[in-house]
Amino acid sequence: DSPTATRPGFRLACQYAANQNHDIFHVDLKTAFLQGEQFDDSRDVVCQLPPEAGYPPHIGARMKKPAYGLNDAPRRWWNIIDTSLRKYGLVPTRADRCTYVLYSDKRSTATAVKAKVHKFTDITSTVDAAIDYLTDPISGSQAKDRATAGLVCLHVDDLFMCGDSEFVERVYKPLIKDYKVGSEDINNVEFVGQRVRWNAASPESGNRPYISVDQNKNIDSLSEIN
């Protein structure tokens, strides 16, 4: 298995899409590191210009942004993309810091609706609510009583996503507008060497559509190395 395939966030996103019958999306952002944070006056990076630039060999250039290979390039890119995802309303999960959840502004879970109907109708319900709060192992979790609209699993400049129409409007559309996109795919995508796709219903799947994750490309790559 690839490291990303075994990450809890990736498995969570695939399972959630399958359970909710949501579309799956993949976006590959173009020249990601060049879309990262700019260097300030405290960081001088001078590089040799390529011959096709037309300058003599003794002329160098001061970089405005980090390029691939610099040790701070991944972090400067992370700072930018993480800020954007949070701006769209996404929240990092506790299980996987590179997986984000969008909670719906329009819907609550069935538990929350039930709680609103029966909230503090008598002293018994008040005590029960207090006990539930004290014994809840995830008291204070942002997921409690909130409906999920979608998820994003981030791997450098690759984003694997799934969600409903609210997710598309609040996350997917702003993302492809704010960043230079190399490629976009839906429902049959390649994410860090894995083929993830929706498949048609079959007798083997109980006559229901299903999502499959194919890692043959990773296996073939390992075979070539060995």
Side-chain angles (χ1 to χ4, degrees):
D1 289 354
S2 71
T4 302
T6 58
R7 273 175 37 188
F10 176 70
R11 299 197 302 270
L12 173 67
C14 291
Q15 187 63 61
Y16 175 76
N19 290 351
Q20 302 297 324
N21 197 32
H22 285 331
D23 288 327
I24 54 177
F25 307 92
H26 171 255
V27 173
D28 177 23
L29 300 180
K30 188 176 181 180
T31 57
F33 288 171
L34 295 181
Q35 300 187 62
E37 286 180 328
Q38 291 191 359
F39 289 130
D40 56 25
D41 294 337
S42 65
R43 181 87 156 95
D44 277 328
V45 180
V46 178
C47 66
Q48 181 179 2
L49 293 168
E52 54 267 26
Y55 291 93
H58 64 275
I59 298 293
R62 182 180 183 273
M63 298 184 66
K64 292 183 176 180
K65 291 189 174 184
Y68 183 81
L70 293 177
N71 60 2
D72 57 348
R75 182 64 189 183
R76 287 180 176 270
W77 160 245
W78 163 265
N79 290 340
I80 291 293
I81 188 65
D82 179 66
T83 299
S84 291
L85 295 177
R86 287 171 174 269
K87 181 183 71 175
Y88 304 148
L90 291 156
V91 180
T93 64
R94 292 186 298 175
D96 186 340
R97 182 57 181 79
C98 290
T99 298
Y100 300 75
V101 181
L102 179 70
Y103 296 111
S104 177
D105 283 340
K106 304 174 183 178
R107 295 175 290 114
S108 300
T109 63
T111 303
V113 173
K114 183 178 179 181
K116 290 176 182 177
V117 174
H118 297 288
K119 186 177 181 181
F120 302 147
T121 54
D122 54 39
I123 187 62
T124 303
S125 65
T126 305
V127 173
D128 288 343
I131 293 174
D132 287 343
Y133 180 81
L134 293 172
T135 58
D136 183 359
I138 57 167
S139 177
S141 168
Q142 298 187 74
K144 188 173 178 62
D145 297 336
R146 303 176 72 186
T148 300
L151 291 98
V152 173
C153 189
L154 172 67
H155 181 75
V156 190
D157 57 356
D158 279 354
L159 293 95
F160 177 78
M161 302 175 280
C162 62
D164 58 17
S165 58
E166 182 181 353
F167 174 85
V168 171
E169 292 298 323
R170 292 178 57 191
V171 176
Y172 187 81
K173 289 183 177 180
L175 177 71
I176 61 177
K177 179 182 178 181
D178 292 345
Y179 289 90
K180 296 177 182 178
V181 176
S183 62
E184 300 175 62
D185 301 289
I186 181 171
N187 290 335
N188 186 354
V189 310
E190 185 175 313
F191 180 60
V192 290
Q194 301 157 107
R195 177 63 59 182
V196 188
R197 59 187 164 192
W198 271 106
N199 297 275
S202 67
E204 292 78 11
S205 65
N207 294 317
R208 284 185 261 180
Y210 65 98
I211 290 177
S212 62
V213 180
D214 183 352
Q215 298 189 59
N216 287 337
K217 184 175 180 179
N218 282 329
I219 295 171
D220 292 342
S221 298
L222 291 173
S223 299
E224 292 175 4
I225 294 174
N226 294 331

